[in-house]
Amino acid sequence: MIFNVAQLMKSPFGSGAAFEADIHEEQVQFDNDFKVIGPVDGHTRMRRVNQGLLVDGWVDLKLELECARCLKHFEQPMHITFEELFYPTVDVVTGTPLPPVEEDDVFPIDEHHQVDLTEAIRQAILLAIPTVPLCKEDCAGLCPQCGHDLNLGPCNCEPEVDDPRLNVLKQLLQNEK
């Protein structure tokens, strides 16, 4: 996801110069925390602004996630949008290094005038991953006693009573039987 933007950087600010491109990458691995399944497809638009380039776009991909309830791995299709500023590290005309930008969330345009969207897209994916990923909304999870997958049906475990104050209720239920 690397694009050469030398011609776009030579355009004067305010000229409305822009560059658009489709994204199609096979076998992309952004991070060890999540696995991408299949290709990453999308579109990006880069516009010349005073500071450098404003890059926005979207990607469609599938992630392999682990269900927080039943611990099964499942595929989660995602549509990720991103918008970031990219700052030049060298002057495109003279090739002289530019002073570093004092912001933490800065994405660089490297010395070869190339924009690498990989890190910007990785960060957008991390923000879009659900805090509690579920294989399905009504996932029943695992039995806390035996570990049986409750999506396959109930198990034969008796509910545990951890609170001794509830033993009286347990005795009432046993007396009814």
Side-chain angles (χ1 to χ4, degrees):
M1 289 180 257
I2 298 174
F3 298 92
N4 189 310
V5 294
Q7 291 301 319
L8 186 56
M9 290 302 295
K10 289 179 184 177
S11 304
F13 166 68
S15 66
F19 170 74
E20 293 194 32
D22 289 327
I23 298 171
H24 179 78
E25 295 284 332
E26 300 281 340
Q27 299 178 347
V28 176
Q29 187 59 40
F30 290 104
D31 201 328
N32 292 332
D33 294 334
F34 57 88
K35 180 181 176 185
V36 178
I37 300 170
V40 175
D41 292 308
H43 187 78
T44 186
R45 177 178 58 172
M46 302 175 195
R47 292 171 283 173
R48 182 76 167 99
V49 294
N50 190 25
Q51 301 90 351
L53 293 178
L54 178 62
V55 179
D56 64 351
W58 56 269
V59 291
D60 288 329
L61 54 100
K62 287 183 183 176
L63 295 181
E64 181 180 284
L65 299 176
E66 183 178 71
C67 180
R69 291 183 186 161
C70 69
L71 304 179
K72 287 185 181 175
H73 289 270
F74 68 98
E75 290 184 13
Q76 175 73 48
M78 300 188 80
H79 178 79
I80 307 294
T81 59
F82 59 92
E83 180 178 78
E84 299 292 344
L85 278 172
F86 282 77
Y87 295 93
T89 55
V90 296
D91 185 275
V92 71
V93 177
T94 64
T96 58
L98 296 173
V101 179
E102 298 293 326
E103 298 179 31
D104 291 337
D105 57 347
V106 172
F107 293 99
I109 301 171
D110 72 11
E111 64 275 1
H112 302 291
H113 314 294
Q114 293 181 331
V115 168
D116 187 355
L117 299 180
T118 307
E119 179 61 18
I121 293 172
R122 184 190 75 82
Q123 289 183 18
I125 292 169
L126 284 173
L127 291 173
I129 292 176
T131 307
V132 180
L134 298 175
C135 60
K136 55 185 179 178
E137 279 191 45
D138 61 343
C139 178
L142 301 175
C143 172
Q145 293 174 353
C146 70
H148 175 74
D149 186 352
L150 298 174
N151 293 312
L152 304 175
C155 63
N156 297 327
C157 294
E158 291 286 325
E160 287 184 1
V161 178
D162 293 334
D163 192 341
R165 296 173 293 178
L166 298 177
N167 283 335
V168 175
L169 294 175
K170 184 177 180 183
Q171 290 172 356
L172 287 174
L173 289 174
Q174 288 176 350
N175 291 340
E176 286 182 14
K177 290 180 183 179

